[in-house]
Structures are given as structure tokens and as C-alpha cells.
Amino acid sequence: MPSPTNHKRGFAVKPRTHLPKYNIGAHFLTAKTFQNTPFFGDPHCARIFCEELEAARQTYSFHVLAFVVMPEHIHLLLWWDTDELPDLTISKVAWAVKGRSARRMVA
């Protein structure tokens, strides 16, 4: 059965996935562009996404363990101390990065 997605701002987002096998509290996020449009094949758009990921990292104080930007999707592996940042959620991070990136790309 396919996992549900949420289509907002041109991205399809899978529900939050923890990595309990490693028990490190990491968060994995995959986001696809709307209709698999290869926006990130354009280096300017890929750069915008990376800049907004860094801005969100600084704002919310999470750690980027790994990420990859492919032409039509991204993968993020993030971590933060939930005791120090109890209100931070993967949804909040995704909203910040994707929303700001999308607004800049269409401007």
C-alpha cells in the first residue's frame, strides 16, 4: 500500500520517519517536487534550497547529518536534542525550508 502524501507548495511529503534501529533520534525527510518536475536540475534552484536549509538550520539549531538534492527530490537526515528543543518538529523544519525555497524559486 503506498504511503500517504501531502501536496503543498509543489512538494509531496511522506509522513515523518524516525530511525529507531539506531536509536539516535534522527529524522529522515524525503520531499518530491510537484509532478516530478526537475526544478533542482537547475543549479540556481538547487542553490536556493541549500541556502534555505542552512538558514533553517541556524534558526532552529538542528544538525544536518546528511542531505542530497536530486533533480526532482531531496533527502534530509536531521538531528536535534529533543530535550533542548522540545517544540521542534520535522513538520516545522520541512515547512520552513520548503516554503521559503519555493517562494524564492517562483519569484
Side-chain angles (χ1 to χ4, degrees), residues 9 11 48 52 94-107:
R9 290 190 174 90
F11 289 93
I48 287 172
E52 293 304 333
W95 181 85
V97 176
K98 294 184 321 163
R100 290 180 51 103
S101 296
R103 283 189 290 280
R104 285 182 60 194
M105 284 181 218
V106 298

Side-chain angles (χ1 to χ4, degrees), residues 52-102:
E52 293 304 333
L53 176 60
E54 175 60 14
R57 186 194 66 76
Q58 290 178 3
T59 299
Y60 294 112
S61 302
F62 58 83
H63 299 274
V64 178
L65 302 179
F67 76 99
V68 63
V69 179
M70 304 297 286
E72 73 288 335
H73 69 283
I74 57 96
H75 297 286
L76 302 174
L77 182 59
L78 311 174
W79 179 87
W80 58 87
D81 186 333
T82 55
D83 291 333
E84 291 182 21
L85 302 167
D87 296 330
L88 187 59
T89 64
I90 195 69
S91 297
K92 187 179 284 189
V93 172
W95 181 85
V97 176
K98 294 184 321 163
R100 290 180 51 103
S101 296

Side-chain angles (χ1 to χ4, degrees), residues 30-57:
T30 295
K32 293 175 54 177
T33 59
F34 181 68
Q35 296 180 341
N36 290 327
T37 305
F39 291 118
F40 301 126
D42 177 345
H44 179 70
C45 291
R47 189 174 309 110
I48 287 172
F49 177 82
C50 292
E51 290 169 357
E52 293 304 333
L53 176 60
E54 175 60 14
R57 186 194 66 76

